[in-house]
Amino acid sequence: MTEKPSNGNATVPISDQSAMASSLITPKWCDRPSTEVAPDLIGCQLIRQLPNGPLIRSLIVETEAYAPGDPACHAYSGKSKRNAAMFGAPGHSYVYLIYGMYHCLNVVTESMGTGSAVLIRALALETIPPQLTPKQVEKPHRIAAGPGKLCRALAIERQLDGVLYHPDNDIWLEHRLNPLSADELIQTTRIGITKAAERPWRWYLDRSQAVSKKKRLEQG
DNA sequence: ACAATGATAGTT
DNA sequence: ACTATCATTGTA
């Protein structure tokens, strides 16, 4: 059913992409501060096996870090039913409902008991999901341009909260096929928060049309 | 500028 | 029980 990636060498030349083995991102790789994992996830792939649908590959083009001691982090006031997955093992998901109508997808970082995660804010999709309305597909490169939109596009709801990123769970992450150049990885402030809004913990891929908003630190 | 829409956390 | 808030998005 799902195509199985093997743990291969990630530094194979671009010309060998079609033949190379993909590499699965593991909990161990995610067992670091979210401020390190967030920029490292840019350019990596998120793959989703849609229920009764196709396999959708996508490029992660925008992320944000949420850390312990960070007032904007859902884990800031301790563990609850909603945020429990954030305190679980790294390399698992944290999915929550926001504004009553959208879901947001995170990658849990750091070891058990530490509440931190990386919010996936935008994806460049390789194929168009079949369940979307014609309206939603008007601008194909914008289908997953935003944390709520990408969850809608990949049918991600709270049922996927706390699951391990792994092909067996129909959602997983793979390392970059080729390195990013430093000048196209933009670091800026996080979006849509009021607490700790000055922390520069958002990253995006400058060349991507799927980034939700392209705002620099020094610009207005 | 603001409505849609519901779970959650904090306050009476 | 009540209320404010919310890591959003689409429309006016």
Side-chain angles (χ1 to χ4, degrees):
Chain A
M1 203 55 97
T2 55
E3 100 189 23
K4 279 260 190 181
S6 62
N7 279 338
N9 186 344
T11 59
V12 171
I14 295 171
S15 56
D16 290 336
Q17 271 183 33
S18 62
M20 75 179 266
S22 54
S23 60
L24 186 65
I25 287 180
T26 61
K28 182 180 172 59
W29 188 87
C30 300
D31 190 3
R32 295 179 288 150
S34 56
T35 48
E36 289 181 23
V37 176
D40 284 356
L41 275 173
I42 301 293
C44 294
Q45 287 184 282
L46 174 68
I47 301 99
R48 167 78 167 133
Q49 173 63 57
L50 287 176
N52 303 312
L55 189 73
I56 310 278
R57 291 190 158 264
S58 68
L59 198 69
I60 299 174
V61 300
E62 183 182 346
T63 59
E64 281 178 359
Y66 290 86
D70 167 15
C73 181
H74 286 175
Y76 187 65
S77 334
K79 194 171 172 179
S80 69
K81 189 168 185 178
R82 175 173 78 150
N83 69 16
M86 284 187 91
F87 291 87
H92 290 241
S93 67
Y94 165 47
V95 180
Y96 64 91
L97 178 68
I98 188 70
Y99 295 108
M101 60 180 75
Y102 293 100
H103 292 266
C104 290
L105 176 69
N106 292 256
V107 177
V108 174
T109 55
E110 296 196 67
S111 46
M112 283 274 269
T114 304
S116 72
V118 173
L119 173 69
I120 309 295
R121 284 199 56 94
L123 301 170
L125 300 185
E126 212 167 82
T127 53
I128 297 174
Q131 82 280 12
L132 300 178
T133 65
K135 177 102 185 180
Q136 290 164 347
V137 176
E138 266 177 14
K139 295 175 181 170
H141 60 283
R142 304 297 294 170
I143 290 172
K149 294 169 76 177
L150 73 89
C151 284
R152 181 180 62 194
L154 298 183
I156 293 166
E157 301 182 357
R158 267 220 111 199
Q159 64 200 36
L160 283 175
D161 179 52
V163 309
L164 175 66
Y165 283 96
H166 189 279
D168 287 350
N169 293 326
D170 294 334
I171 185 167
W172 72 95
L173 299 161
E174 292 180 11
H175 288 290
R176 287 175 193 147
L177 263 28
N178 46 282
L180 289 187
S181 63
D183 64 318
E184 61 179 355
L185 180 58
I186 307 297
Q187 179 175 11
T188 184
T189 50
R190 295 178 292 184
I191 288 181
I193 55 172
T194 53
K195 291 169 289 185
E198 75 292 345
R199 298 190 189 195
W201 288 354
R202 173 172 170 249
W203 289 265
Y204 66 83
L205 185 62
D206 205 18
R207 77 172 122 93
S208 175
Q209 300 175 92
V211 172
S212 66
K213 282 173 186 160
K214 294 195 179 183
K215 191 174 234 181
R216 264 37 183 238
L217 271 182
E218 44 282 313
Q219 292 176 351

